[in-house]
Amino acid sequence: MVEQRKPASECLWFRYATLFDDNKDITHFDCMLFNRYFWNMTFGKSSPKDSKAFESYKRVKEGSPPQGYSSSIANDALIDRFGTVELPSLTYGIDFSDTHFDCVTSFSGYIFPRRVSFFNCEFDCPAEFSDSTFSGIFEMNRTEIHEGLNISWCTFESGLVIGAPSIFENSEGSSISIHSSTFNGPFLLTRSHVFSLMSISGNRFEKAFAIRKLNVSSDARLNANLFDGRVTVRDCDFKGALSFDGSAFNSPTSFEGSKFRNFYPTLRGTFLDQDTTLSIDDDLWPKNCQQKPEVVKATCAKLRHNQAQQGLPEEQQFFFRREMEQCAKIGSFQQRLPYILYGAISNYGSSIARPTVCLLGLWLFGLACFYSYFTGCCLLAPKEPV
C-alpha cells in the first residue's frame, strides 16, 4: 500500500535545498545560486575521491559566493523558515521520502555528502540533476515521475538504485535521460515501467551495471557507454527499438531472459566482451521484425561471431539462421535465390530432416529413371507370328 505523500513544502530537506525561494527581494536566478551555495557550503562537506567530483567540490569550496549573498542573509532565511539557525544531522543521510513534488525540481550543481533517498515520491514536473556530486548511494524506489528524470554530468561515487517498482513517463520527451555521468559504484534499474524514450548514453560505469525486470514501452538508447564492470540486462521486455551503438562492454555481459518484441538490438561500432551470454529461445526474439534486413543481418552476424568465439555451436547456429533469413530478403531475385533454396532445403543448416528427405527423394527419382530406362531397353521382343 502506497503511503500518503506530503507536499514538497513540508519536506524538511527540500525546504533546506530551496531556502531562498520565498524571498521576494531576490530574483529567481539569484535564488537558484543562493540555494546551491548555501547547500554546498552547509551540507556538502565531503572528500570526493573521483577527479571530476573533486573539481566540482573544489570549485564550490574555493569559489566566491554569489553577488549579494552573505551569512547574515542565510541566517535570516533560516530563522524565517525554521525559527532557528540549527541544522539537521547528516547521520542518517538526506531523506526526501514520501514527498509530492508539484513544481520543477532541480538539484543542479549540488553536493550530496551522504546517502540520498527519494522513496515513494511523485514528481509532476521534470526531476533535474545536473553537474551534481553524490558521495553516498542515490536511491529512488517506488517513485512516479510524470515528466521525465534527467541526470547529466553527475558523479555517483557509491552507486545508483532505481526501482522496486517505479513508473517513468513523459508526454513530450524522454522518460529517463542519463548522460555524460560517471558511476564509481553499481548502477541498478529494476522492476520499473518506462512509457516513453529511455536514453542512457555517454556514461562511464566502473562497477556493475544491471537492468532487471524492466518494461520499456518505447525506444531505449544505451549508446556510447563505457562498461568496465559486469553488465546484466535480464528478464526485461523491450517493445521499441534498442541500441547499444558505440558502447564498449569490457566485462562479462548477460542478456538472459530479455525479450525483444519488434526490433533486434543494434550494435554498430559496439565492442562485446567474449564472455557474453544470450538466450536462444525463439519466443524472446522478434517474429515480425520492423527493421531493415541489412540492420538485422549486421546484428545477427555480430552476435554469431561473438558466440562462435566462445565455442557455442547452438547459439552460433541460432544467429546464423537469422542472418541467412535476412540475406534472403536483400538484393535482386537472382541474388536472393541461393539463400531461398538454402532455407527451403535445410532451414539454413539447422534441419537434419529436410536434407535427408531431399536426398531420399533425389535417390528415389534417380532409381525410377534408371528403372524405366533399363526395363524399357532390356525387355524381350515379342515373337513374330508363325
Short mmCIF file of all heavy atoms in Angstrom, two decimals, residues 15 56-57 60 68-70 90 152 167 185 189 210 262 272 279 306 309 320 345 347:
data_model
loop_
_atom_site.label_atom_id
_atom_site.label_comp_id
_atom_site.label_asym_id
_atom_site.label_seq_id
_atom_site.Cartn_x
_atom_site.Cartn_y
_atom_site.Cartn_z
N ARG A 15 13.07 21.84 1.96
CA ARG A 15 12.98 23.22 2.43
C ARG A 15 14.38 23.81 2.61
O ARG A 15 14.61 24.99 2.34
CB ARG A 15 12.19 23.27 3.73
CG ARG A 15 10.73 22.89 3.55
CD ARG A 15 10.01 22.81 4.89
NE ARG A 15 9.85 24.15 5.47
CZ ARG A 15 9.42 24.36 6.71
NH1 ARG A 15 9.14 23.32 7.50
NH2 ARG A 15 9.29 25.58 7.16
N SER A 56 34.54 19.59 -8.88
CA SER A 56 33.26 20.22 -8.56
C SER A 56 33.26 20.69 -7.10
O SER A 56 32.83 21.80 -6.79
CB SER A 56 32.11 19.24 -8.80
OG SER A 56 30.89 19.79 -8.39
N TYR A 57 33.75 19.84 -6.23
CA TYR A 57 33.83 20.15 -4.80
C TYR A 57 34.75 21.35 -4.56
O TYR A 57 34.42 22.30 -3.85
CB TYR A 57 34.33 18.92 -4.07
CG TYR A 57 34.64 19.12 -2.60
CD1 TYR A 57 33.63 19.09 -1.65
CD2 TYR A 57 35.95 19.30 -2.17
CE1 TYR A 57 33.92 19.27 -0.30
CE2 TYR A 57 36.25 19.47 -0.84
CZ TYR A 57 35.22 19.45 0.09
OH TYR A 57 35.52 19.62 1.42
N VAL A 60 33.28 24.74 -5.67
CA VAL A 60 32.31 25.31 -4.74
C VAL A 60 33.01 25.85 -3.50
O VAL A 60 32.72 26.95 -3.03
CB VAL A 60 31.27 24.25 -4.34
CG1 VAL A 60 30.38 24.77 -3.21
CG2 VAL A 60 30.42 23.88 -5.53
N GLY A 68 25.77 39.43 -3.58
CA GLY A 68 24.64 39.73 -2.71
C GLY A 68 24.42 38.71 -1.62
O GLY A 68 23.62 38.94 -0.71
N TYR A 69 25.12 37.59 -1.69
CA TYR A 69 24.94 36.54 -0.67
C TYR A 69 25.79 36.86 0.55
O TYR A 69 26.93 37.33 0.45
CB TYR A 69 25.35 35.18 -1.23
CG TYR A 69 25.24 34.04 -0.24
CD1 TYR A 69 24.08 33.30 -0.15
CD2 TYR A 69 26.30 33.74 0.63
CE1 TYR A 69 23.97 32.26 0.76
CE2 TYR A 69 26.20 32.71 1.54
CZ TYR A 69 25.04 31.96 1.60
OH TYR A 69 24.92 30.95 2.51
N SER A 70 25.26 36.58 1.73
CA SER A 70 26.02 36.74 2.97
C SER A 70 25.48 35.77 4.00
O SER A 70 24.34 35.29 3.89
CB SER A 70 25.93 38.18 3.49
OG SER A 70 24.60 38.47 3.92
N LEU A 90 23.34 14.89 9.45
CA LEU A 90 23.50 14.08 8.26
C LEU A 90 23.74 12.60 8.59
O LEU A 90 24.04 11.81 7.70
CB LEU A 90 24.67 14.60 7.42
CG LEU A 90 24.44 15.93 6.69
CD1 LEU A 90 25.77 16.45 6.16
CD2 LEU A 90 23.46 15.73 5.54
N SER A 152 22.54 14.50 -15.75
CA SER A 152 23.63 14.79 -16.69
C SER A 152 24.83 15.36 -15.96
O SER A 152 24.69 16.13 -15.00
CB SER A 152 23.15 15.77 -17.77
OG SER A 152 22.73 17.00 -17.20
N ILE A 167 7.57 4.20 -11.85
CA ILE A 167 6.93 4.50 -13.13
C ILE A 167 7.54 5.78 -13.67
O ILE A 167 7.64 6.79 -12.98
CB ILE A 167 5.41 4.66 -12.96
CG1 ILE A 167 4.77 3.35 -12.51
CG2 ILE A 167 4.77 5.14 -14.25
CD1 ILE A 167 3.29 3.46 -12.19
N GLY A 185 30.21 3.50 -8.45
CA GLY A 185 29.57 2.39 -7.75
C GLY A 185 28.59 1.69 -8.67
O GLY A 185 28.42 2.07 -9.83
N LEU A 189 18.80 -0.59 -12.18
CA LEU A 189 17.48 -0.12 -12.59
C LEU A 189 16.60 -1.35 -12.71
O LEU A 189 16.82 -2.20 -13.57
CB LEU A 189 17.57 0.62 -13.92
CG LEU A 189 16.28 1.11 -14.58
CD1 LEU A 189 15.51 2.02 -13.64
CD2 LEU A 189 16.59 1.82 -15.88
N ALA A 210 23.30 -3.08 -14.00
CA ALA A 210 22.25 -4.09 -14.06
C ALA A 210 20.90 -3.44 -14.35
O ALA A 210 20.52 -2.45 -13.72
CB ALA A 210 22.18 -4.88 -12.75
N ASN A 262 9.85 -6.41 -31.16
CA ASN A 262 9.69 -5.97 -32.54
C ASN A 262 10.99 -5.56 -33.22
O ASN A 262 11.00 -5.34 -34.42
CB ASN A 262 8.72 -4.78 -32.59
CG ASN A 262 7.36 -5.13 -31.99
OD1 ASN A 262 6.73 -6.10 -32.38
ND2 ASN A 262 6.92 -4.32 -31.03
N LEU A 272 31.83 -6.14 -27.87
CA LEU A 272 31.22 -7.10 -26.95
C LEU A 272 32.31 -7.93 -26.29
O LEU A 272 33.24 -8.41 -26.96
CB LEU A 272 30.26 -8.03 -27.71
CG LEU A 272 28.96 -7.42 -28.24
CD1 LEU A 272 28.19 -8.45 -29.06
CD2 LEU A 272 28.09 -6.91 -27.09
N SER A 279 20.17 -15.56 -24.68
CA SER A 279 19.13 -16.60 -24.71
C SER A 279 18.80 -16.93 -26.15
O SER A 279 18.72 -16.06 -27.01
CB SER A 279 17.87 -16.11 -23.99
OG SER A 279 18.12 -15.88 -22.62
N ASN A 306 30.40 -13.49 -32.05
CA ASN A 306 30.71 -13.48 -30.62
C ASN A 306 30.51 -14.86 -30.00
O ASN A 306 31.34 -15.33 -29.22
CB ASN A 306 29.85 -12.44 -29.91
CG ASN A 306 30.07 -12.41 -28.41
OD1 ASN A 306 29.40 -13.12 -27.66
ND2 ASN A 306 31.02 -11.61 -27.96
N GLN A 309 33.20 -17.34 -31.09
CA GLN A 309 34.46 -17.17 -30.36
C GLN A 309 34.46 -17.90 -29.02
O GLN A 309 35.51 -18.30 -28.52
CB GLN A 309 34.72 -15.67 -30.13
CG GLN A 309 35.14 -14.91 -31.37
CD GLN A 309 35.42 -13.45 -31.06
OE1 GLN A 309 34.68 -12.80 -30.33
NE2 GLN A 309 36.51 -12.94 -31.60
N PHE A 320 23.13 -17.53 -36.89
CA PHE A 320 23.46 -17.73 -38.29
C PHE A 320 22.18 -17.92 -39.12
O PHE A 320 22.07 -17.38 -40.23
CB PHE A 320 24.36 -18.96 -38.44
CG PHE A 320 24.64 -19.34 -39.86
CD1 PHE A 320 25.53 -18.61 -40.63
CD2 PHE A 320 24.00 -20.42 -40.45
CE1 PHE A 320 25.79 -18.95 -41.95
CE2 PHE A 320 24.24 -20.77 -41.76
CZ PHE A 320 25.14 -20.03 -42.52
N ILE A 345 15.70 -26.01 -48.31
CA ILE A 345 16.26 -27.37 -48.27
C ILE A 345 16.73 -27.78 -46.88
O ILE A 345 16.50 -28.92 -46.47
CB ILE A 345 17.42 -27.48 -49.28
CG1 ILE A 345 16.89 -27.34 -50.71
CG2 ILE A 345 18.16 -28.80 -49.12
CD1 ILE A 345 17.97 -27.28 -51.77
N ASN A 347 16.73 -25.34 -43.89
CA ASN A 347 16.47 -24.34 -42.86
C ASN A 347 17.77 -23.70 -42.41
O ASN A 347 18.03 -23.52 -41.23
CB ASN A 347 15.72 -24.95 -41.67
CG ASN A 347 15.15 -23.90 -40.74
OD1 ASN A 347 14.96 -22.75 -41.14
ND2 ASN A 347 14.87 -24.28 -39.50
#
